[in-house]
PDB file of all heavy atoms in Angstrom:
ATOM      1  N   GLY A   1     -65.208   2.759  26.217  1.00  0.00           N
ATOM      2  CA  GLY A   1     -65.344   3.375  24.905  1.00  0.00           C
ATOM      3  C   GLY A   1     -66.791   3.445  24.441  1.00  0.00           C
ATOM      4  O   GLY A   1     -67.222   4.435  23.858  1.00  0.00           O
ATOM      5  N   MET A   2     -67.563   2.393  24.743  1.00  0.00           N
ATOM      6  CA  MET A   2     -68.966   2.365  24.352  1.00  0.00           C
ATOM      7  C   MET A   2     -69.761   3.438  25.096  1.00  0.00           C
ATOM      8  O   MET A   2     -70.614   4.111  24.513  1.00  0.00           O
ATOM      9  CB  MET A   2     -69.548   0.983  24.671  1.00  0.00           C
ATOM     10  CG  MET A   2     -70.985   0.765  24.212  1.00  0.00           C
ATOM     11  SD  MET A   2     -71.134   0.625  22.429  1.00  0.00           S
ATOM     12  CE  MET A   2     -72.083   2.072  22.043  1.00  0.00           C
ATOM     13  N   ILE A   3     -69.477   3.628  26.370  1.00  0.00           N
ATOM     14  CA  ILE A   3     -70.177   4.640  27.162  1.00  0.00           C
ATOM     15  C   ILE A   3     -69.875   6.042  26.636  1.00  0.00           C
ATOM     16  O   ILE A   3     -70.786   6.875  26.485  1.00  0.00           O
ATOM     17  CB  ILE A   3     -69.794   4.522  28.647  1.00  0.00           C
ATOM     18  CG1 ILE A   3     -70.362   3.219  29.222  1.00  0.00           C
ATOM     19  CG2 ILE A   3     -70.298   5.713  29.444  1.00  0.00           C
ATOM     20  CD1 ILE A   3     -69.938   2.955  30.649  1.00  0.00           C
ATOM     21  N   ILE A   4     -68.612   6.303  26.344  1.00  0.00           N
ATOM     22  CA  ILE A   4     -68.238   7.621  25.825  1.00  0.00           C
ATOM     23  C   ILE A   4     -68.899   7.881  24.482  1.00  0.00           C
ATOM     24  O   ILE A   4     -69.422   8.967  24.220  1.00  0.00           O
ATOM     25  CB  ILE A   4     -66.702   7.730  25.720  1.00  0.00           C
ATOM     26  CG1 ILE A   4     -66.068   7.683  27.116  1.00  0.00           C
ATOM     27  CG2 ILE A   4     -66.297   9.010  25.000  1.00  0.00           C
ATOM     28  CD1 ILE A   4     -64.558   7.694  27.120  1.00  0.00           C
ATOM     29  N   VAL A   5     -68.899   6.881  23.607  1.00  0.00           N
ATOM     30  CA  VAL A   5     -69.526   7.030  22.284  1.00  0.00           C
ATOM     31  C   VAL A   5     -71.028   7.268  22.425  1.00  0.00           C
ATOM     32  O   VAL A   5     -71.594   8.136  21.744  1.00  0.00           O
ATOM     33  CB  VAL A   5     -69.249   5.782  21.423  1.00  0.00           C
ATOM     34  CG1 VAL A   5     -70.116   5.784  20.167  1.00  0.00           C
ATOM     35  CG2 VAL A   5     -67.785   5.727  21.037  1.00  0.00           C
ATOM     36  N   ASN A   6     -71.691   6.520  23.303  1.00  0.00           N
ATOM     37  CA  ASN A   6     -73.132   6.684  23.495  1.00  0.00           C
ATOM     38  C   ASN A   6     -73.469   8.089  23.978  1.00  0.00           C
ATOM     39  O   ASN A   6     -74.434   8.706  23.514  1.00  0.00           O
ATOM     40  CB  ASN A   6     -73.653   5.652  24.482  1.00  0.00           C
ATOM     41  CG  ASN A   6     -73.933   4.310  23.829  1.00  0.00           C
ATOM     42  OD1 ASN A   6     -74.146   4.232  22.617  1.00  0.00           O
ATOM     43  ND2 ASN A   6     -73.938   3.249  24.623  1.00  0.00           N
ATOM     44  N   GLN A   7     -72.680   8.578  24.928  1.00  0.00           N
ATOM     45  CA  GLN A   7     -72.949   9.918  25.458  1.00  0.00           C
ATOM     46  C   GLN A   7     -72.671  10.988  24.416  1.00  0.00           C
ATOM     47  O   GLN A   7     -73.389  11.991  24.337  1.00  0.00           O
ATOM     48  CB  GLN A   7     -72.109  10.160  26.714  1.00  0.00           C
ATOM     49  CG  GLN A   7     -72.445   9.232  27.869  1.00  0.00           C
ATOM     50  CD  GLN A   7     -73.912   9.284  28.247  1.00  0.00           C
ATOM     51  OE1 GLN A   7     -74.528  10.345  28.285  1.00  0.00           O
ATOM     52  NE2 GLN A   7     -74.500   8.111  28.500  1.00  0.00           N
ATOM     53  N   ALA A   8     -71.641  10.788  23.598  1.00  0.00           N
ATOM     54  CA  ALA A   8     -71.348  11.754  22.539  1.00  0.00           C
ATOM     55  C   ALA A   8     -72.448  11.754  21.481  1.00  0.00           C
ATOM     56  O   ALA A   8     -72.816  12.802  20.953  1.00  0.00           O
ATOM     57  CB  ALA A   8     -69.996  11.440  21.912  1.00  0.00           C
ATOM     58  N   ARG A   9     -72.988  10.564  21.195  1.00  0.00           N
ATOM     59  CA  ARG A   9     -74.065  10.472  20.197  1.00  0.00           C
ATOM     60  C   ARG A   9     -75.376  11.033  20.707  1.00  0.00           C
ATOM     61  O   ARG A   9     -76.225  11.458  19.925  1.00  0.00           O
ATOM     62  CB  ARG A   9     -74.273   9.009  19.797  1.00  0.00           C
ATOM     63  CG  ARG A   9     -73.112   8.385  19.030  1.00  0.00           C
ATOM     64  CD  ARG A   9     -73.304   6.900  18.861  1.00  0.00           C
ATOM     65  NE  ARG A   9     -74.512   6.584  18.095  1.00  0.00           N
ATOM     66  CZ  ARG A   9     -75.169   5.452  18.177  1.00  0.00           C
ATOM     67  NH1 ARG A   9     -74.757   4.503  19.020  1.00  0.00           N
ATOM     68  NH2 ARG A   9     -76.229   5.242  17.450  1.00  0.00           N
ATOM     69  N   SER A  10     -75.555  11.036  22.019  1.00  0.00           N
ATOM     70  CA  SER A  10     -76.825  11.512  22.575  1.00  0.00           C
ATOM     71  C   SER A  10     -77.009  13.011  22.369  1.00  0.00           C
ATOM     72  O   SER A  10     -78.132  13.493  22.280  1.00  0.00           O
ATOM     73  CB  SER A  10     -76.901  11.177  24.069  1.00  0.00           C
ATOM     74  OG  SER A  10     -75.969  11.953  24.812  1.00  0.00           O
ATOM     75  N   GLY A  11     -75.904  13.761  22.291  1.00  0.00           N
ATOM     76  CA  GLY A  11     -75.982  15.200  22.102  1.00  0.00           C
ATOM     77  C   GLY A  11     -76.452  15.968  23.324  1.00  0.00           C
ATOM     78  O   GLY A  11     -76.765  17.168  23.226  1.00  0.00           O
ATOM     79  N   GLU A  12     -76.527  15.351  24.483  1.00  0.00           N
ATOM     80  CA  GLU A  12     -76.979  16.014  25.701  1.00  0.00           C
ATOM     81  C   GLU A  12     -75.850  16.875  26.280  1.00  0.00           C
ATOM     82  O   GLU A  12     -74.776  16.387  26.597  1.00  0.00           O
ATOM     83  CB  GLU A  12     -77.431  14.984  26.735  1.00  0.00           C
ATOM     84  CG  GLU A  12     -78.626  14.168  26.303  1.00  0.00           C
ATOM     85  CD  GLU A  12     -79.031  13.173  27.364  1.00  0.00           C
ATOM     86  OE1 GLU A  12     -78.498  13.270  28.493  1.00  0.00           O
ATOM     87  OE2 GLU A  12     -79.877  12.299  27.086  1.00  0.00           O
ATOM     88  N   GLN A  13     -76.118  18.167  26.406  1.00  0.00           N
ATOM     89  CA  GLN A  13     -75.108  19.081  26.938  1.00  0.00           C
ATOM     90  C   GLN A  13     -74.811  18.811  28.416  1.00  0.00           C
ATOM     91  O   GLN A  13     -73.709  19.042  28.893  1.00  0.00           O
ATOM     92  CB  GLN A  13     -75.593  20.528  26.778  1.00  0.00           C
ATOM     93  CG  GLN A  13     -75.635  21.020  25.347  1.00  0.00           C
ATOM     94  CD  GLN A  13     -74.257  21.293  24.792  1.00  0.00           C
ATOM     95  OE1 GLN A  13     -73.295  21.446  25.533  1.00  0.00           O
ATOM     96  NE2 GLN A  13     -74.152  21.338  23.482  1.00  0.00           N
ATOM     97  N   SER A  14     -75.782  18.280  29.138  1.00  0.00           N
ATOM     98  CA  SER A  14     -75.634  18.112  30.576  1.00  0.00           C
ATOM     99  C   SER A  14     -74.566  17.095  30.956  1.00  0.00           C
ATOM    100  O   SER A  14     -74.088  17.088  32.095  1.00  0.00           O
ATOM    101  CB  SER A  14     -76.977  17.713  31.204  1.00  0.00           C
ATOM    102  OG  SER A  14     -77.465  16.520  30.623  1.00  0.00           O
ATOM    103  N   VAL A  15     -74.197  16.192  30.047  1.00  0.00           N
ATOM    104  CA  VAL A  15     -73.217  15.163  30.379  1.00  0.00           C
ATOM    105  C   VAL A  15     -71.835  15.495  29.824  1.00  0.00           C
ATOM    106  O   VAL A  15     -70.908  14.695  29.956  1.00  0.00           O
ATOM    107  CB  VAL A  15     -73.667  13.796  29.831  1.00  0.00           C
ATOM    108  CG1 VAL A  15     -74.992  13.381  30.452  1.00  0.00           C
ATOM    109  CG2 VAL A  15     -73.757  13.812  28.306  1.00  0.00           C
ATOM    110  N   THR A  16     -71.665  16.659  29.230  1.00  0.00           N
ATOM    111  CA  THR A  16     -70.379  17.012  28.613  1.00  0.00           C
ATOM    112  C   THR A  16     -69.247  17.004  29.627  1.00  0.00           C
ATOM    113  O   THR A  16     -68.165  16.479  29.371  1.00  0.00           O
ATOM    114  CB  THR A  16     -70.473  18.401  27.953  1.00  0.00           C
ATOM    115  OG1 THR A  16     -71.493  18.383  26.954  1.00  0.00           O
ATOM    116  CG2 THR A  16     -69.147  18.775  27.331  1.00  0.00           C
ATOM    117  N   GLY A  17     -69.492  17.578  30.806  1.00  0.00           N
ATOM    118  CA  GLY A  17     -68.455  17.674  31.816  1.00  0.00           C
ATOM    119  C   GLY A  17     -67.997  16.325  32.326  1.00  0.00           C
ATOM    120  O   GLY A  17     -66.799  16.031  32.384  1.00  0.00           O
ATOM    121  N   ILE A  18     -68.954  15.459  32.677  1.00  0.00           N
ATOM    122  CA  ILE A  18     -68.616  14.148  33.237  1.00  0.00           C
ATOM    123  C   ILE A  18     -67.971  13.253  32.181  1.00  0.00           C
ATOM    124  O   ILE A  18     -67.026  12.501  32.472  1.00  0.00           O
ATOM    125  CB  ILE A  18     -69.867  13.470  33.842  1.00  0.00           C
ATOM    126  CG1 ILE A  18     -69.482  12.187  34.560  1.00  0.00           C
ATOM    127  CG2 ILE A  18     -70.921  13.217  32.789  1.00  0.00           C
ATOM    128  CD1 ILE A  18     -68.660  12.367  35.789  1.00  0.00           C
ATOM    129  N   VAL A  19     -68.436  13.335  30.929  1.00  0.00           N
ATOM    130  CA  VAL A  19     -67.840  12.532  29.857  1.00  0.00           C
ATOM    131  C   VAL A  19     -66.428  13.009  29.554  1.00  0.00           C
ATOM    132  O   VAL A  19     -65.515  12.196  29.297  1.00  0.00           O
ATOM    133  CB  VAL A  19     -68.716  12.588  28.594  1.00  0.00           C
ATOM    134  CG1 VAL A  19     -68.007  11.938  27.424  1.00  0.00           C
ATOM    135  CG2 VAL A  19     -70.054  11.911  28.847  1.00  0.00           C
ATOM    136  N   SER A  20     -66.204  14.316  29.608  1.00  0.00           N
ATOM    137  CA  SER A  20     -64.860  14.855  29.395  1.00  0.00           C
ATOM    138  C   SER A  20     -63.921  14.377  30.500  1.00  0.00           C
ATOM    139  O   SER A  20     -62.773  13.983  30.239  1.00  0.00           O
ATOM    140  CB  SER A  20     -64.894  16.378  29.353  1.00  0.00           C
ATOM    141  OG  SER A  20     -65.671  16.847  28.264  1.00  0.00           O
ATOM    142  N   ALA A  21     -64.399  14.407  31.744  1.00  0.00           N
ATOM    143  CA  ALA A  21     -63.583  13.912  32.863  1.00  0.00           C
ATOM    144  C   ALA A  21     -63.306  12.428  32.711  1.00  0.00           C
ATOM    145  O   ALA A  21     -62.212  11.940  33.044  1.00  0.00           O
ATOM    146  CB  ALA A  21     -64.297  14.189  34.184  1.00  0.00           C
ATOM    147  N   MET A  22     -64.281  11.697  32.211  1.00  0.00           N
ATOM    148  CA  MET A  22     -64.114  10.277  31.980  1.00  0.00           C
ATOM    149  C   MET A  22     -63.017  10.036  30.935  1.00  0.00           C
ATOM    150  O   MET A  22     -62.147   9.167  31.110  1.00  0.00           O
ATOM    151  CB  MET A  22     -65.445   9.683  31.486  1.00  0.00           C
ATOM    152  CG  MET A  22     -65.497   8.169  31.459  1.00  0.00           C
ATOM    153  SD  MET A  22     -67.043   7.610  30.658  1.00  0.00           S
ATOM    154  CE  MET A  22     -68.251   8.534  31.605  1.00  0.00           C
ATOM    155  N   ALA A  23     -63.046  10.816  29.856  1.00  0.00           N
ATOM    156  CA  ALA A  23     -62.055  10.645  28.790  1.00  0.00           C
ATOM    157  C   ALA A  23     -60.653  10.982  29.280  1.00  0.00           C
ATOM    158  O   ALA A  23     -59.688  10.273  28.966  1.00  0.00           O
ATOM    159  CB  ALA A  23     -62.419  11.541  27.598  1.00  0.00           C
ATOM    160  N   VAL A  24     -60.529  12.043  30.073  1.00  0.00           N
ATOM    161  CA  VAL A  24     -59.215  12.427  30.603  1.00  0.00           C
ATOM    162  C   VAL A  24     -58.698  11.346  31.559  1.00  0.00           C
ATOM    163  O   VAL A  24     -57.521  10.960  31.511  1.00  0.00           O
ATOM    164  CB  VAL A  24     -59.300  13.790  31.324  1.00  0.00           C
ATOM    165  CG1 VAL A  24     -57.978  14.102  32.034  1.00  0.00           C
ATOM    166  CG2 VAL A  24     -59.645  14.892  30.338  1.00  0.00           C
ATOM    167  N   THR A  25     -59.575  10.854  32.431  1.00  0.00           N
ATOM    168  CA  THR A  25     -59.167   9.823  33.384  1.00  0.00           C
ATOM    169  C   THR A  25     -58.717   8.549  32.684  1.00  0.00           C
ATOM    170  O   THR A  25     -57.693   7.961  33.028  1.00  0.00           O
ATOM    171  CB  THR A  25     -60.338   9.498  34.343  1.00  0.00           C
ATOM    172  OG1 THR A  25     -60.746  10.697  35.015  1.00  0.00           O
ATOM    173  CG2 THR A  25     -59.921   8.465  35.372  1.00  0.00           C
ATOM    174  N   VAL A  26     -59.489   8.133  31.692  1.00  0.00           N
ATOM    175  CA  VAL A  26     -59.135   6.927  30.940  1.00  0.00           C
ATOM    176  C   VAL A  26     -57.806   7.123  30.201  1.00  0.00           C
ATOM    177  O   VAL A  26     -56.976   6.203  30.137  1.00  0.00           O
ATOM    178  CB  VAL A  26     -60.251   6.584  29.946  1.00  0.00           C
ATOM    179  CG1 VAL A  26     -59.812   5.492  28.984  1.00  0.00           C
ATOM    180  CG2 VAL A  26     -61.503   6.134  30.694  1.00  0.00           C
ATOM    181  N   SER A  27     -57.586   8.326  29.671  1.00  0.00           N
ATOM    182  CA  SER A  27     -56.320   8.601  28.976  1.00  0.00           C
ATOM    183  C   SER A  27     -55.143   8.511  29.935  1.00  0.00           C
ATOM    184  O   SER A  27     -54.080   7.974  29.577  1.00  0.00           O
ATOM    185  CB  SER A  27     -56.374   9.987  28.332  1.00  0.00           C
ATOM    186  OG  SER A  27     -57.399  10.068  27.372  1.00  0.00           O
ATOM    187  N   ILE A  28     -55.307   9.032  31.140  1.00  0.00           N
ATOM    188  CA  ILE A  28     -54.221   8.982  32.125  1.00  0.00           C
ATOM    189  C   ILE A  28     -53.945   7.540  32.543  1.00  0.00           C
ATOM    190  O   ILE A  28     -52.788   7.094  32.583  1.00  0.00           O
ATOM    191  CB  ILE A  28     -54.570   9.850  33.345  1.00  0.00           C
ATOM    192  CG1 ILE A  28     -54.621  11.325  32.935  1.00  0.00           C
ATOM    193  CG2 ILE A  28     -53.552   9.652  34.466  1.00  0.00           C
ATOM    194  CD1 ILE A  28     -55.091  12.253  34.034  1.00  0.00           C
ATOM    195  N   ILE A  29     -55.016   6.809  32.882  1.00  0.00           N
ATOM    196  CA  ILE A  29     -54.845   5.406  33.286  1.00  0.00           C
ATOM    197  C   ILE A  29     -54.225   4.593  32.146  1.00  0.00           C
ATOM    198  O   ILE A  29     -53.281   3.805  32.360  1.00  0.00           O
ATOM    199  CB  ILE A  29     -56.197   4.797  33.698  1.00  0.00           C
ATOM    200  CG1 ILE A  29     -56.722   5.492  34.962  1.00  0.00           C
ATOM    201  CG2 ILE A  29     -56.062   3.298  33.958  1.00  0.00           C
ATOM    202  CD1 ILE A  29     -58.105   5.032  35.380  1.00  0.00           C
ATOM    203  N   GLY A  30     -54.731   4.790  30.931  1.00  0.00           N
ATOM    204  CA  GLY A  30     -54.196   4.075  29.791  1.00  0.00           C
ATOM    205  C   GLY A  30     -52.745   4.432  29.519  1.00  0.00           C
ATOM    206  O   GLY A  30     -51.919   3.564  29.198  1.00  0.00           O
ATOM    207  N   GLY A  31     -52.405   5.724  29.659  1.00  0.00           N
ATOM    208  CA  GLY A  31     -51.029   6.144  29.449  1.00  0.00           C
ATOM    209  C   GLY A  31     -50.073   5.520  30.445  1.00  0.00           C
ATOM    210  O   GLY A  31     -48.965   5.097  30.084  1.00  0.00           O
ATOM    211  N   ILE A  32     -50.498   5.444  31.702  1.00  0.00           N
ATOM    212  CA  ILE A  32     -49.651   4.821  32.733  1.00  0.00           C
ATOM    213  C   ILE A  32     -49.437   3.338  32.429  1.00  0.00           C
ATOM    214  O   ILE A  32     -48.317   2.815  32.528  1.00  0.00           O
ATOM    215  CB  ILE A  32     -50.295   5.007  34.121  1.00  0.00           C
ATOM    216  CG1 ILE A  32     -50.285   6.484  34.511  1.00  0.00           C
ATOM    217  CG2 ILE A  32     -49.565   4.178  35.174  1.00  0.00           C
ATOM    218  CD1 ILE A  32     -51.041   6.784  35.790  1.00  0.00           C
ATOM    219  N   ILE A  33     -50.516   2.659  32.055  1.00  0.00           N
ATOM    220  CA  ILE A  33     -50.409   1.222  31.730  1.00  0.00           C
ATOM    221  C   ILE A  33     -49.504   1.004  30.525  1.00  0.00           C
ATOM    222  O   ILE A  33     -48.633   0.119  30.526  1.00  0.00           O
ATOM    223  CB  ILE A  33     -51.800   0.621  31.481  1.00  0.00           C
ATOM    224  CG1 ILE A  33     -52.632   0.643  32.763  1.00  0.00           C
ATOM    225  CG2 ILE A  33     -51.688  -0.803  30.962  1.00  0.00           C
ATOM    226  CD1 ILE A  33     -54.059   0.174  32.588  1.00  0.00           C
ATOM    227  N   VAL A  34     -49.668   1.821  29.490  1.00  0.00           N
ATOM    228  CA  VAL A  34     -48.877   1.669  28.267  1.00  0.00           C
ATOM    229  C   VAL A  34     -47.401   1.912  28.543  1.00  0.00           C
ATOM    230  O   VAL A  34     -46.538   1.115  28.131  1.00  0.00           O
ATOM    231  CB  VAL A  34     -49.394   2.633  27.168  1.00  0.00           C
ATOM    232  CG1 VAL A  34     -48.388   2.730  26.038  1.00  0.00           C
ATOM    233  CG2 VAL A  34     -50.725   2.162  26.629  1.00  0.00           C
ATOM    234  N   LEU A  35     -47.075   3.000  29.219  1.00  0.00           N
ATOM    235  CA  LEU A  35     -45.671   3.311  29.489  1.00  0.00           C
ATOM    236  C   LEU A  35     -45.031   2.274  30.400  1.00  0.00           C
ATOM    237  O   LEU A  35     -43.871   1.884  30.199  1.00  0.00           O
ATOM    238  CB  LEU A  35     -45.574   4.701  30.123  1.00  0.00           C
ATOM    239  CG  LEU A  35     -45.927   5.883  29.208  1.00  0.00           C
ATOM    240  CD1 LEU A  35     -45.882   7.181  29.968  1.00  0.00           C
ATOM    241  CD2 LEU A  35     -44.989   5.932  28.004  1.00  0.00           C
ATOM    242  N   SER A  36     -45.787   1.794  31.395  1.00  0.00           N
ATOM    243  CA  SER A  36     -45.253   0.780  32.313  1.00  0.00           C
ATOM    244  C   SER A  36     -44.987  -0.516  31.552  1.00  0.00           C
ATOM    245  O   SER A  36     -43.930  -1.154  31.714  1.00  0.00           O
ATOM    246  CB  SER A  36     -46.229   0.527  33.459  1.00  0.00           C
ATOM    247  OG  SER A  36     -46.451   1.704  34.190  1.00  0.00           O
ATOM    248  N   PHE A  37     -45.944  -0.911  30.721  1.00  0.00           N
ATOM    249  CA  PHE A  37     -45.784  -2.151  29.970  1.00  0.00           C
ATOM    250  C   PHE A  37     -44.637  -2.039  28.979  1.00  0.00           C
ATOM    251  O   PHE A  37     -43.850  -2.989  28.818  1.00  0.00           O
ATOM    252  CB  PHE A  37     -47.082  -2.475  29.240  1.00  0.00           C
ATOM    253  CG  PHE A  37     -47.029  -3.742  28.459  1.00  0.00           C
ATOM    254  CD1 PHE A  37     -47.175  -4.979  29.083  1.00  0.00           C
ATOM    255  CD2 PHE A  37     -46.814  -3.722  27.079  1.00  0.00           C
ATOM    256  CE1 PHE A  37     -47.119  -6.164  28.357  1.00  0.00           C
ATOM    257  CE2 PHE A  37     -46.755  -4.894  26.347  1.00  0.00           C
ATOM    258  CZ  PHE A  37     -46.908  -6.107  27.001  1.00  0.00           C
ATOM    259  N   LYS A  38     -44.510  -0.908  28.307  1.00  0.00           N
ATOM    260  CA  LYS A  38     -43.425  -0.708  27.342  1.00  0.00           C
ATOM    261  C   LYS A  38     -42.068  -0.795  28.025  1.00  0.00           C
ATOM    262  O   LYS A  38     -41.123  -1.404  27.504  1.00  0.00           O
ATOM    263  CB  LYS A  38     -43.588   0.643  26.646  1.00  0.00           C
ATOM    264  CG  LYS A  38     -42.580   0.902  25.536  1.00  0.00           C
ATOM    265  CD  LYS A  38     -42.898   2.200  24.831  1.00  0.00           C
ATOM    266  CE  LYS A  38     -41.937   2.438  23.669  1.00  0.00           C
ATOM    267  NZ  LYS A  38     -40.552   2.632  24.108  1.00  0.00           N
ATOM    268  N   THR A  39     -41.948  -0.200  29.208  1.00  0.00           N
ATOM    269  CA  THR A  39     -40.697  -0.260  29.957  1.00  0.00           C
ATOM    270  C   THR A  39     -40.351  -1.689  30.331  1.00  0.00           C
ATOM    271  O   THR A  39     -39.183  -2.122  30.221  1.00  0.00           O
ATOM    272  CB  THR A  39     -40.806   0.596  31.216  1.00  0.00           C
ATOM    273  OG1 THR A  39     -41.112   1.945  30.850  1.00  0.00           O
ATOM    274  CG2 THR A  39     -39.488   0.584  31.996  1.00  0.00           C
ATOM    275  N   ILE A  40     -41.339  -2.442  30.753  1.00  0.00           N
ATOM    276  CA  ILE A  40     -41.100  -3.843  31.131  1.00  0.00           C
ATOM    277  C   ILE A  40     -40.712  -4.680  29.921  1.00  0.00           C
ATOM    278  O   ILE A  40     -39.772  -5.478  29.967  1.00  0.00           O
ATOM    279  CB  ILE A  40     -42.360  -4.436  31.804  1.00  0.00           C
ATOM    280  CG1 ILE A  40     -42.633  -3.727  33.127  1.00  0.00           C
ATOM    281  CG2 ILE A  40     -42.204  -5.934  32.036  1.00  0.00           C
ATOM    282  CD1 ILE A  40     -43.947  -4.110  33.778  1.00  0.00           C
TER     283      ILE A  40
END
């Protein structure tokens, strides 16, 4: 979360793609963990 916030605050256009991929990946990993834990 700190890395994503820092990159968003920097305003650098060059990191938009990698930060977006980071956010999507974290959302998928987090979603899998949350759903698995809820089921258990």
Side-chain angles (χ1 to χ4, degrees):
M2 185 71 245
I3 292 175
I4 294 176
V5 168
N6 277 337
Q7 296 305 318
R9 293 171 62 204
S10 69
E12 297 180 10
Q13 290 286 342
S14 58
V15 299
T16 300
I18 186 67
V19 171
S20 297
M22 191 187 308
V24 173
T25 303
V26 170
S27 298
I28 294 174
I29 294 175
I32 293 173
I33 294 175
V34 166
L35 292 176
S36 300
F37 181 80
K38 185 175 183 295
T39 302
I40 295 172

